[in-house]
Amino acid sequence: MRAKSINILGIETSCDETAAAVVANGKTIKSSIIASQTKLHEKYGGVVPEIASRAHIEKIYPVIAEAIEQANISKDEIDAIAIANQPGLTVALIVGVTAAKTLSFIWDKPLIAINHLHAHLQSAMLTEQNLKLPAVALIVSGGHTCLYDAESALELKLLGSTIDDAAGEAFDKVATILKLPYPGGPAIERIAKEGNPDAIEFPRSMLGAESLDFSFSGIKTAVLYYCRGQDMKGENKVDSMSENEIADIAASFQAAVVDVLVKKTQRAAERIGAETILLGGGVAANSRLRAGLREMCNSNTDAKKLLIAPKQYCTDNAVMVASLAYYKFKAGLFADLTLEPKAYSE
Ligand code: KG4
Ligand code: ZN
């Protein structure tokens, strides 16, 4: 007799996407619904917490209902409710956490708490769960840039993280300087395709020969100086620049950020003798970063296996939440109704 599959409803509201998904046995995606708030935040050039919270409240019920309908299952066939409760914007997280606790209570289903960063890593493991260890995981998103020594998506040892801006944040801020649309990452990647990555030598902050930490505020400032002059007294020259000049700045900025991310990942891999490299988070959608890590993993004499999240599961989604929850379900790691949202990762 075939074992019954375990269906988990995952919910994600940590930032500006209201998402729900049903995933069976951690890998069969039965539905994935994402209501993006990009349009609401774009005129501010970043996520406004109060607006995000209100939009989550408006969308949470229809998004969950649609995920269940698209999965073509009844609520009785759902085995657990999983929620990303940290890290993120507290006023955004609280909407999903409250919805998940309510469903868990009224449907009498177990509740599973998921760390959003660990879920990003799970996206890279959707097709392959058994890692050849040791493994280095690079998580690059709008709020985080972290390197981990990963035993699984649930057992992570932090090797390094950003001491100032996250990589995605740098993309978003530089896009604002260049007057490109929000979110900045995809906009910079698009225009960078037309530019020369060697046109401008932007700084690559390595924080010394040993460090596995990152710093991206220097490069953001360098772009700002480039556009407004060292004394910051000049007008932002972007308005009078040609599209080619802007493309060159975007391409050179992207090349510098990717360079640092790849070199630091290589450094971490050497440090722990990694056999596998994992890549997840919103910035993992960037083609230059994907290609850079692929080259690094193939070019070394001791080639490493590279697992990258599929592009549609790099940015925030609930598939990664429902998928990772399966492994907590199997391990009996459940939360209860005292679960709270947490701004920071524990
Ligand atoms: O993981 P994510 O959806 O949300 C957080 O957990 O923060 O990541 C969003 C970030 C944004 O900063 C966005 O600009 C960046 O990921 N991003 C990209 C690309 N697509 C999204 N950055 C570079 N290239 C991309 N193609
Ligand atoms: Zn995220």
Side-chain angles (χ1 to χ4, degrees):
M1 204 174 77
R2 283 235 323 263
K4 174 190 168 303
S5 50
I6 302 298
N7 293 311
I8 298 186
L9 170 67
I11 300 171
E12 156 65 45
T13 63
S14 68
C15 191
D16 60 344
E17 263 95 28
T18 317
V22 176
V23 177
N25 296 339
K27 50 182 185 293
T28 308
I29 300 163
K30 294 196 161 177
S31 65
S32 174
I33 307 296
I34 304 173
S36 169
Q37 303 173 4
T38 301
K39 286 265 160 296
L40 299 177
H41 301 289
E42 70 186 346
K43 69 169 175 258
Y44 305 101
V47 178
V48 182
E50 170 74 15
I51 293 174
S53 182
R54 284 170 184 270
H56 285 309
I57 290 170
E58 195 183 305
K59 293 285 183 205
I60 190 79
Y61 171 71
V63 164
I64 291 173
E66 203 180 333
I68 295 172
E69 193 186 323
Q70 195 184 83
N72 202 18
I73 58 172
S74 73
K75 71 173 173 25
D76 298 335
E77 293 168 280
I78 294 173
D79 296 284
I81 315 289
I83 175 67
N85 76 310
Q86 63 168 297
L89 300 169
T90 314
V91 292
L93 289 164
I94 202 165
V95 179
V97 169
T98 306
K101 289 199 311 194
T102 306
L103 291 178
S104 161
F105 180 67
I106 58 172
W107 289 350
D108 195 20
K109 313 267 183 202
L111 182 68
I112 299 172
I114 293 294
N115 180 308
H116 177 87
L117 296 177
H118 300 186
H120 270 307
L121 177 53
Q122 178 62 21
S123 292
M125 295 166 67
L126 282 173
T127 50
E128 190 154 337
Q129 193 61 35
N130 294 322
L131 293 181
K132 199 164 175 214
L133 300 174
V136 162
L138 174 66
I139 302 300
V140 265
S141 71
H144 296 84
T145 303
C146 307
L147 275 167
Y148 296 101
D149 178 347
E151 286 225 358
S152 72
L154 291 172
E155 293 153 290
L156 305 169
K157 209 169 85 203
L158 190 67
L159 296 172
S161 60
T162 182
I163 57 167
D164 41 54
D165 293 346
E169 196 178 353
F171 270 93
D172 294 336
K173 287 177 177 169
V174 165
T176 304
I177 298 169
L178 297 181
K179 304 196 175 179
L180 296 172
Y182 172 84
I188 287 188
E189 176 169 4
R190 225 175 297 124
I191 193 167
K193 288 202 172 80
E194 315 300 322
N196 172 9
D198 301 317
I200 307 145
E201 181 74 21
F202 285 127
R204 282 133 167 93
S205 172
M206 295 301 285
L207 300 174
E210 299 292 320
S211 172
L212 294 177
D213 288 329
F214 300 90
S215 167
F216 294 110
S217 72
I219 184 166
K220 172 195 67 189
T221 310
V223 175
L224 192 62
Y225 285 168
Y226 188 87
C227 295
R228 294 195 54 182
Q230 283 288 350
D231 56 7
M232 292 289 291
K233 287 196 178 125
E235 285 290 297
N236 188 343
K237 287 183 282 187
V238 167
D239 285 334
S240 56
M241 280 180 192
S242 70
E243 198 153 302
N244 281 349
E245 282 173 283
I246 295 174
D248 280 350
I249 300 173
S252 302
F253 161 78
Q254 179 179 258
V257 171
V258 167
D259 242 20
V260 172
L261 291 171
V262 171
K263 286 203 177 107
K264 291 267 173 167
T265 306
Q266 183 162 21
R267 197 179 267 182
E270 278 160 14
R271 183 86 44 94
I272 69 161
E275 297 277 353
T276 307
I277 306 289
L278 298 144
L279 173 66
V283 184
N286 186 277
S287 304
R288 192 175 172 106
L289 175 59
R290 296 168 86 90
L293 281 180
R294 214 170 283 132
E295 200 179 313
M296 176 202 121
C297 288
N298 292 337
S299 71
N300 285 343
T301 37
D302 58 332
K304 296 168 204 15
K305 184 158 178 81
L306 178 66
L307 295 174
I308 307 187
K311 276 200 182 182
Q312 75 267 39
Y313 301 124
C314 285
T315 43
D316 290 349
N317 65 86
V319 164
M320 63 188 195
V321 175
S323 172
L324 182 56
Y326 172 68
Y327 301 94
K328 284 194 124 177
F329 184 96
K330 282 207 308 188
L333 298 170
F334 299 110
D336 61 31
L337 296 180
T338 63
L339 185 71
E340 287 182 355
K342 297 215 161 69
Y344 298 99
S345 183
E346 276 177 340

